[in-house]
Structure formats: C-alpha cells, structure tokens
Amino acid sequence: IPPAIVSRGNALTVLLSSAVEQLNKINNLYVAITYTTLDNACGGSLTALMGEFSSPNYPETYPRNVECVWELSASPGNKMTLFFKELDIDSTDDCNGDYLEVREQYENGPLLGDFCGNQIPTNLTVANSFWVKFRSNEADVAKGFLAGYSYDMLSEITGTSGTITSPLYPRSYARTDNIGWRITVDMGSVIAMNFNRFAIDRHTDDPELCACALVIYDGYDETAAPLLKDCGYLKPAPLTSTSSVVYIVLDHSELIESSLFMLNWQSIFFSNVPSSPVDPCNGHATIVLNSTNATFNLSSPGYPDGYKFNLDCTWIFQSTMPTYHPFLSFELIDLVESSDCLEDYVEVFNSSDLAEWKSFGRICTFATRGTYNFHGTPHLKLEFRTDYIQNRIGFTGTVFLRCGGLLTDPNGVITQPDSLPMVEPDMLVNRTETYESCNWTINVRTGWTIEFTFAKLNITIQPAGPHVSNGYVAIMNGMDEFSPLLGQYSGTDIPGTINTSSNHAFVQYRPSSSGPNLFELVYREVSVECGGNVVLSAQFNSTDIMTPNYPEIPPAHSECFWRVLAPAGQLLRVQVAGQMLLPYMPQCKTEYIQMRAGLTSYAPELLHSCSSDLSQRIMTSTNALSIKYFNDRPDPNAGIKLRVTLAKCGSAVRGAHGSISSKNYPQLGGYPAPAVCEYYIQEGVYGMMMLSFEDLHLPAKANCSSEDN
C-alpha cells in the first residue's frame, strides 16, 4: 500500500490501468482508496500504514497565521513511530512564536515537545497515536517541516489487559510484511486470550494448507513453543500461556488473501508451579517459581536410560518473588565428553530482562557429580543440545529459589530468608548452611538516590572465637560488593536513615552462626531535595536559592524548580550571591539555570545561563518569578547561589487607566538612592497608551546628565 498522498491544490486525478492482459482477468485484483479534504491544506486524520505530512506549501515557505492539527492513529494494540525528515521553523525563545507541538495520544496527552528552529527532534517515542499541531504567527516565516510516520513491525505491549487487532482494522491487512506483537505481564502471571474476529488467509480452513497464518508463541520469541498456528474463518478456542510473555506473529510471507483479526487478552495470576508445562525440546519450557518451598526437579529427556539424538531443549526459570532468584544445582552430568563441547552439551545463561542472555559456558563432562551451581540474575536459562552419533545417561539437577536478586522497583522491603540452603558435592539440596550469604543489587531511576531505614534488626553478636561467625547487613554505595561501604549493621540498635549518593546500592546479608538472625530493611527512591515555593513580604523581603549540595558540586542528573511570589504590583530582583561555573554555550541542553517572569513554563524568559550573563542586572516585570536548575550530566560543573529580593522601587500595574509615582512621593529625597526603578504598565495587546506627567522634580542638569533621570 503506497503512503498517503497530499495534493498541492484543490484537485487530484487518479488513473487505474494495467498493460498486462492477464492481470485484467484476475477477479480479486482491486484498489481501494480513501480520501479526506483538508482545510488550508493542513491538518487531518492519518491512519495509513505509513505516510508523510508537512506544513502548508512545503517545500515553499508556510503562510502566516495558520494553525494545523494532525491526528495520527494506529489500530488497537499497534504502535507507530513518528519521525521528522526536515525542520525549518522560525526560531524564538522557548518556541513562543511559530512552533510545532507534539503530544502522545490526544490534545491533552503527554507533551513530547515544542519544536522550532532547524534541529530535527530525536526524542520522540513510539505510541498508538500522536497529536501534532503546527502554529505560525504574523511575524517571520520559514520553509516549514516534513514528517513521516509508519506502523512498527513489532509492538511491545504491557499492562494487565488489552486488545490487539490486525493493522488498519476493521479494514483488512494485505501487505506481505509480517507484523508482530509481544505481550509482557508481571512475573507469576499468565496471559489469557480469546478472539472476537478471525479471518486469516481465507481460502482455506486447514492449518496445514495455510499460506498465511497467525502464530502465538508461549514465550519471548519464535524459539518458544507455539500455542496456536491457525488460518481460515473459524475463531480459535480461548487459550492461555504458561509464562508471563507471549509473542504473536501475523505471518504474511506467502500472501494470497488479506487478513484481519481482533483478540482480547488479560493477565491472570498463576499460583501453582507447573511440573512440566510444555515439552522443552519443542520450543522452550518456562518454569515460574513462586515459593521458597517450591522445588523443580530437572533432568534430560530419557534420564536415566539415556537421551535421544539431535535434541534441542530449553528451560527458562523465573521467580515471582523479587528478593529471590532461581538457583540451579546439578547432581549428575554424564554426557559425551569432548574438549570443545561441540557434540553433546548443556549451557547455562543468566539475564536481567529475558532479552539479553549471558552464558556461563558449556559443560560436557563424563559422570560428574555435584560440582556445578548457577545463580540467576534474576532469570536463568538452560539449553541442552545433542548430536546424532553417541549418547550417555544425561543429567539431573534441582532448581529452587535462593535469597538475593536484582531489585528495580522504586521501593521495597528486604528481609532475612527462612533458611539458606547450600549445595556442595555429596550434600542434600535442603541442607542449611549458616555461613551462606545473600546479595541484592538495587537500581532505581537515573537522577534519584536510595534511602534505607531498618524497621527491624536483631542479629546476634558473640565474643570472637574459633567457631564463632558474627552476622551483619552491609550496604554498599554502588553496584557490587567492591563499592564503598556505607555501613555494616548488627546487634539490636536500629541505625538512622542511610542514603546513597547515586541510583545504585548493593546489600549483603550474612547470618550469625547461632542466635537470632532477624532484620527488615526498607528502601525507597528519593529525588534530590531542592526547589519549592517562596512568598516574600515587607517583613520577609529576600530569600536565597541554592543548587543541591551547595557549595559542593550538585548530584548528577538533577532538576529543581523554585517559584517566588511578591506582593501584587511589586517587582523582584535577582543577584548571584555565590560562585557559578555553569558552561557558557549557545543552545546548551545538559546544564543550565533558567528564569522566567511568571509562574508557568510559558512565561517570558528573563535569562538562560547558556546564552546570557548572570552577572547582569536581573529584574522581573511582574510580581512572580520561576527559576529552573537542570543538569543531565554525570559530572556537573558546579553549583550556584542566587539571592532574590523585593525590588527597592518600581511596580507593575494593569488597567486602562491609573497613576504611578516614585517611591515615597511627594517626600523630598524620598526615593531610594542609588536605585534603578522600572515601571510596567500593561493595558492590553492592542490600542495606544497616553502618558501625561503631573509632577516631575529631579536634579536638573543639561541633557539629564545627572545620575537621577
């Protein structure tokens, strides 16, 4: 299907022809075209698979005083990407003149950006729909913009329920490109699906004869076991996954007829651990462990009588408990041994996201017992491959949950495990080893730090001795055990709040050899404490505003907002009171101070540290001031301290008529000296204003050379 076409005038001619006589005899050869009229050649609803749109008259200059709105939308469950090929819009401060506004979903949806100038936006995200507005004023014009959009070939979907349809639904999809969807729900849940409409490759109802098909895999990608592969008109029966991820593909690689479908899906919490959910040698089996008492007995197919030739088996292990991870221990591995493990082998992987896997290496040992143990981070995968020449007994092992893991939630609780099983050669799996430790890595959002508080602490401390091992909870300021130590805690005295300096922390627990071993550690992510609202008055006429940690360097990736309000009619003055080493460069984006004469993000900009001199006199034109400090650098330059005071004199007045006077008028010498007083009279956008002096009493010198003028 060609992309959308926009005419350059008020007429468009469409000609359909075929020079091939055989094609004219095909009954199902057809073209369907939809059209929309556009006012002022701008704006409209765009629903095609792909296309372009532009400012009016592009590539010529756009007209003045136009406003265009485009609504881009994909069918339910599909994502689209918006991108810009060219941008040339008259540049103004904060794009307050001509601008291009992009939002996700609709007019009041999340703002993705206001754009002007000629720097092409790159920070746009994928979404189901976009709302785009172009606005020009009566001032200067420029070339405009050219934008493109397209459906994504793979849509990532999260949540608890939703709907997925074929592209362009309720119209049919007739391209030869395959389209995919991946649904991911919370760990420990499965996905239930049912169809409302189904018409795939409608020339047959026999799945074995499908030229095209809808395939649903019970896992992350096409290597998982298929839950469904179907075509025709008959709606498939409802189906449920065995894991928290399904991968859906509309396979149009051998297209004969167009397709359409609609399915609803819902996340369902799965409370039981499957003993053998699917055949691991037909795709992969996903085993979800949701209890510290759950144990999965793992063995190669055919064990102990020997495995078959040409096996390709995969098991994936996940934990529903964030503070625990799967732990695999082999009791026996008996494979055809070779130096490079190219014949029969097992290979174990770990992953933090189920997408990227890191291998621990291959194992192909002969009759080896109990020497291989593996921890998930937090996910674990085992692959078993055999050739067609020789075979042996195979392998057997156990998978259960161990304490420790990767925590990424913004807050959580870490406690001691019920027991710490340790697996060593010739030892039973459920044997408790009191000297074993647990490790947790905590990662929160960039620009935030982590705060720890102990809700409970009772770890025995005994006098040192040859058989005494005292336990502790240690917190490191980083990602691993080699990071700087924030503190090591034991006994019963609960310490105060512990804070990291970054968004990473590492927690290690080691129990005492005897006595109580109890603790409950609560963590939460916290933003850098800065910003706030200040109201000045005659009694409280100044305030100091400082970047976090001032006079030290601010934390990386921090953002602060201050709002200062003066009494009605009064003005505010800003002075630099402390050292400032912010970078001085045009259009800098990574670290700056910005001031606006008002309390909103659209108020007139007073100053931007990247393009202005902070040592200059800064005076508002209203009684309100907003200050923003922003840095998105791993190594900020330095902090700044600003002093905001009520102006000694001057005012801002509104209305169609009124009067202004110097401070303390008519008292002789009543106005402050030295001082610079500014008065702002705001009558409105249109019309003229007439000023008339009723009194003027200043020192008289030729050409007003006096300092008072």
Side-chain angles (χ1 to χ4, degrees), residues 269-283:
F269 181 71
F270 185 60
S271 58
N272 298 316
V273 178
S275 57
S276 182
V278 293
D279 180 6
C281 302
N282 181 18

Side-chain angles (χ1 to χ4, degrees), residues 548-627:
N549 295 343
Y550 185 84
E552 304 299 328
I553 294 176
H557 308 286
S558 53
E559 186 175 28
C560 314
F561 294 90
W562 296 268
R563 294 175 177 85
V564 185
L565 189 65
Q570 293 194 244
L571 308 180
L572 293 164
R573 183 185 180 193
V574 184
Q575 294 174 289
V576 176
Q579 187 177 10
M580 185 276 302
L581 292 174
L582 293 175
Y584 186 89
M585 63 184 74
Q587 300 179 345
C588 71
K589 303 245 182 224
T590 58
E591 188 175 13
Y592 59 83
I593 286 278
Q594 183 185 48
M595 302 182 198
R596 293 184 180 274
L599 300 180
T600 71
S601 59
Y602 294 101
E605 185 179 86
L606 284 175
L607 178 141
H608 199 295
S609 63
C610 296
S611 56
S612 304
D613 183 3
L614 279 176
S615 63
Q616 69 184 23
R617 186 176 63 89
I618 307 167
M619 187 82 72
T620 66
S621 58
T622 70
N623 66 325
L625 171 70
S626 59
I627 300 175

Side-chain angles (χ1 to χ4, degrees), residues 174-220:
R175 289 182 67 90
T176 56
D177 296 323
N178 294 349
I179 299 288
W181 300 263
R182 183 182 291 115
I183 307 174
T184 305
V185 298
D186 291 339
M187 200 78 67
S189 297
V190 294
I191 302 167
M193 292 161 282
N194 65 83
F195 287 88
N196 288 346
R197 294 195 63 182
F198 190 83
I200 307 294
D201 191 26
R202 286 161 284 181
H203 77 286
T204 179
D205 288 325
D206 186 352
E208 298 300 324
L209 300 178
C210 291
C212 303
L214 186 71
V215 188
I216 302 180
Y217 296 95
D218 191 20
Y220 189 82

Side-chain angles (χ1 to χ4, degrees), residues 249 287 537:
V249 177
I287 294 89
S537 62

Side-chain angles (χ1 to χ4, degrees), residues 391-411:
N391 69 345
R392 294 192 61 81
I393 291 177
F395 66 85
T396 183
T398 307
V399 181
F400 53 90
L401 293 182
R402 292 285 295 271
C403 60
L406 174 66
L407 306 178
T408 57
D409 289 339
N411 50 67

